């Protein structure tokens, strides 16, 4: 196996593989990337069993072949090499298979041990899978609006992912940890049917990070797998088992009151009060009066904080106890400059949304007042 590649092009692909591979697995092969050099194309594969990644880049092949190499060490070598063309060649040395990685111009040469691809996991085929198209920009926004809200409690595995479903021609994504809920829905004209699914956030976040704002992402859900295609990338992931909660029961049908604030004011207040909060409890207080929102940290060993900001509100004074993270995290992904909260009473759910309202919103359950 012998081929020549562009150093910068290779770095782009291996950096994505690094995000996927498992460095803690007892199966050392999962810390490797698989190279297949054929027809002047290098196919690169990486997996942690749950998420599979495949990409292809053009290379100049002198001898076809395949092997696997330790991803992190290969990335370190690439980072140390100068820009330009690099030769990758498999050789036998002291009864071991090694990859010799050599810059074509600079005096830079490395050797990296290889492992046979025999134990590298097979990827599910997506040749005949029925894909539907989602505008990349829309899908990225939906993922960013929801994926952070999944549960981290592994005993509630059915809430460890983002729920995908089709409603009429709309794509709906929902995530919840039982104390908050993130909802995003967009009319993207889906005509093909697909089963509802719970998708691991790892593959979604990688798709959101590396897909372009232009064009479409091809998506398919079939046989307990989800597949994504965009640019020169193919990704797949096993779906999470279990019954996702009936999220529609959590969404209030109507709420009697609302108040509005500038997002920048609220983020500044959260930053100030959270510095004084017991991070484990995370409790802060919102006191709303006509014209003013006061954000107060619960008294802790460090002290307390109180910050006020202008607020558009017409009603009686009301106080909520909230987890500051459940307010701060949605604010970071909402694109509008102004934010609205809708509510009925202090111990019932609040709805946090952009102002004017968009295709996404966030439901937050209040905490006990003491």
């Amino acid at each position: 196996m012998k081929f020549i590649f562009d150093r910068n092009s290779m770095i782009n692909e291996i950096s994505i593989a690094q995000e996927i591979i498992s460095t803690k697995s007892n199966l050392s092969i999962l810390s490797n990337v698989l190279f297949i050099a054929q027809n002047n194309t290098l196919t690169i594969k990486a997996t942690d069993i749950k998420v599979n990644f495949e990409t292809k880049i053009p290379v100049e092949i002198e001898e076809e072949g395949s092997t696997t190499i330790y991803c992190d060490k290969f990335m370190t070598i690439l980072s140390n090499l100068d820009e330009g063309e690099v030769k990758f060649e498999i050789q036998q040395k002291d009864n071991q298979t090694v990859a010799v990685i050599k810059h074509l111009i600079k005096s830079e040469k490395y050797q990296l041990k290889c492992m046979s691809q025999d134990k590298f996991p097979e990827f599910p085929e997506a040749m005949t899978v029925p894909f539907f198209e989602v505008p990349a920009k829309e899908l990225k926004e939906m993922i960013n609006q929801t994926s952070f809200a999944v549960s981290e409690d592994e005993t509630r595995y059915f809430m460890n992912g983002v729920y995908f479903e089709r409603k009429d021609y709309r794509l709906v994504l929902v995530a919840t940890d039982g104390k908050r809920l993130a909802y995003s829905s967009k009319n993207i004209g889906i005509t093909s049917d697909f089963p509802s699914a719970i998708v691991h956030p790892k593959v979604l976040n990688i798709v959101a990070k590396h897909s372009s704002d232009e064009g479409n992402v091809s998506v398919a859900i079939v046989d307990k797998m989800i597949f994504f295609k965009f640019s020169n990338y193919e990704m797949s992931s096993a779906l999470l088992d279990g019954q996702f909660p009936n999220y529609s029961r959590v969404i209030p049908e109507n709420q009697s009151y609302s108040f509005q604030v500038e997002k920048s004011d609220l983020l500044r207040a959260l930053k100030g009060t959270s510095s004084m909060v017991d991070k484990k409890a995370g409790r802060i207080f919102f006191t709303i009066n006509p014209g003013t929102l006061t954000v107060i940290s619960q008294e802790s060993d460090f002290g307390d904080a109180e910050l006020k900001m202008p607020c558009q509100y017409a009603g009686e004074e009301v106080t909520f106890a909230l987890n500051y993270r459940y307010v701060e995290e949605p604010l970071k992904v909402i694109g509008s400059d102004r934010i609205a909260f809708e509510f009925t009473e202090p111990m019932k759910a609040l709805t946090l949304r952009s102002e004017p309202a968009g295709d996404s919103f966030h439901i937050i359950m209040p905490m006990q007042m003491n």
Side-chain angles (χ1 to χ4, degrees), residues 155-296:
T155 65
R156 309 175 80 182
Y157 56 89
F158 50 88
M159 293 197 299
N160 292 163
V162 178
Y163 187 62
F164 270 58
E165 71 171 347
R166 176 194 171 198
K167 283 192 172 181
D168 297 324
Y169 298 107
R170 304 183 72 87
L171 177 64
V172 177
L173 270 62
V174 184
T176 182
D177 65 3
K179 297 175 183 176
R180 59 166 166 186
L181 181 143
Y183 177 98
S184 186
S185 169
K186 289 188 181 291
N187 188 346
I188 55 176
I190 296 178
T191 56
S192 58
D193 200 12
F194 62 87
S196 301
I198 308 172
V199 183
H200 199 288
K202 180 175 180 178
V203 69
L204 294 178
N205 291 333
I206 291 171
V207 169
K209 180 177 178 181
H210 295 288
S211 57
S212 167
D213 284 345
E214 306 297 327
N216 292 334
V217 175
S218 300
V219 185
I221 299 173
V222 65
D223 294 335
K224 297 186 178 181
M225 295 288 298
I226 188 165
F227 299 86
F228 298 94
K229 290 182 180 180
F230 58 94
S231 185
N232 58 317
Y233 302 125
E234 294 185 18
M235 297 183 188
S236 61
S237 177
L239 299 174
L240 299 178
D241 288 329
Q243 182 69 42
F244 197 78
N246 183 359
Y247 67 85
S248 60
R249 294 192 305 176
V250 179
I251 301 172
E253 290 187 9
N254 54 70
Q255 292 173 295
S256 305
Y257 306 99
S258 69
F259 64 92
Q260 297 179 21
V261 295
E262 293 294 320
K263 183 175 71 172
S264 58
D265 289 345
L266 185 51
L267 281 170
R268 192 177 303 112
L270 290 171
K271 183 177 180 181
T273 51
S274 66
S275 64
M276 306 299 287
V277 163
D278 179 336
K279 292 298 189 287
K280 186 174 182 181
R283 185 185 286 109
I284 58 172
F285 299 96
F286 275 23
T287 297
I288 306 103
N289 284 289
T292 306
L293 167 63
T294 305
V295 182
I296 306 166

Side-chain angles (χ1 to χ4, degrees), residues 32 67-70 90 96-99 111-115:
N32 285 26
T67 192
T68 78
I69 58 172
Y70 188 49
I90 297 298
Q96 286 189 322
T97 303
V98 298
Q111 291 188 166
L112 188 59
K113 292 180 182 178
C114 301
M115 291 180 62

Side-chain angles (χ1 to χ4, degrees), residues 49 53 117 127 136 176 237 328 330 332 337 368:
I49 295 300
F53 166 74
Q117 70 272 25
M127 300 296 290
T176 182
S237 177
E328 183 181 54
K332 290 179 177 179
D337 293 330
Q368 295 294 327

